[in-house]
Amino acid sequence: MTGGPVRTVFLGSGAFGVDILRRLAGHPDVRMVGVVTAPARPVGRTQVPSPTPIETTAQAIGLTTILTPERLRAPEAVDAVLALDPDLAVLADYGQIVPAALLEMPRFGAINLHPSLLPRHRGASPIQATIMAGDTETGV
């Protein structure tokens, strides 16, 4: 590849995105300039705030730029992501509508990975829906 590694920002929150983030961060043609995920939320009986699987993974693999905006559409959140100056945005299991400015800004665009062959199983549980439907073929 010419021009050096692709400056990449990853947007995700759920477990589906963990392996994707790990592979991107370890790829020699990718330079992870930031991770955007949801803020820690109260979970369990004790309601102790817990970081997303993506935040936990990003920290474990040594990524230091982790943004956790409450609302990605807030102007300050958009500005913070744009300030990372990414060449590519990769989305997987983010859980919020991503503003057009963030999808259009990277010179290589944005890739949204969804765990089903759309539009068949959109919604909150596409993997479970695929299994329950007895589908013999699926994909991302």
Side-chain angles (χ1 to χ4, degrees):
M1 183 176 142
T2 60
V6 176
R7 295 176 54 84
T8 303
V9 64
F10 180 85
L11 295 91
S13 294
F16 172 72
V18 167
D19 285 336
I20 297 163
L21 174 59
R22 283 186 182 280
R23 289 195 180 253
L24 279 171
H27 197 284
D29 291 334
V30 172
R31 177 173 169 222
M32 293 301 303
V33 295
V35 172
V36 182
T37 190
R41 302 266 189 243
V43 295
R45 190 177 306 165
T46 60
Q47 293 293 289
V48 173
S50 179
T52 67
I54 294 299
E55 182 175 0
T56 302
T57 300
Q59 291 171 340
I61 61 178
L63 300 176
T64 57
T65 304
I66 303 170
L67 307 176
T68 58
E70 189 66 41
R71 287 186 59 244
L72 187 57
R73 289 179 287 176
E76 61 275 7
V78 171
D79 291 346
V81 177
L82 293 178
L84 299 173
D85 192 29
D87 295 323
L88 175 68
V90 177
L91 296 84
D93 199 5
Y94 185 65
Q96 290 186 39
I97 294 173
V98 178
L102 298 182
L103 298 175
E104 296 166 356
M105 184 266 184
R107 69 181 174 130
F108 295 131
I111 299 170
N112 183 15
L113 299 167
H114 190 275
S116 78
L117 296 175
L118 292 172
R120 179 153 166 75
H121 296 298
R122 61 178 62 246
S125 54
I127 296 170
Q128 296 87 335
T130 300
I131 294 167
M132 290 175 57
D135 291 357
T136 58
E137 183 177 284
T138 191
V140 174

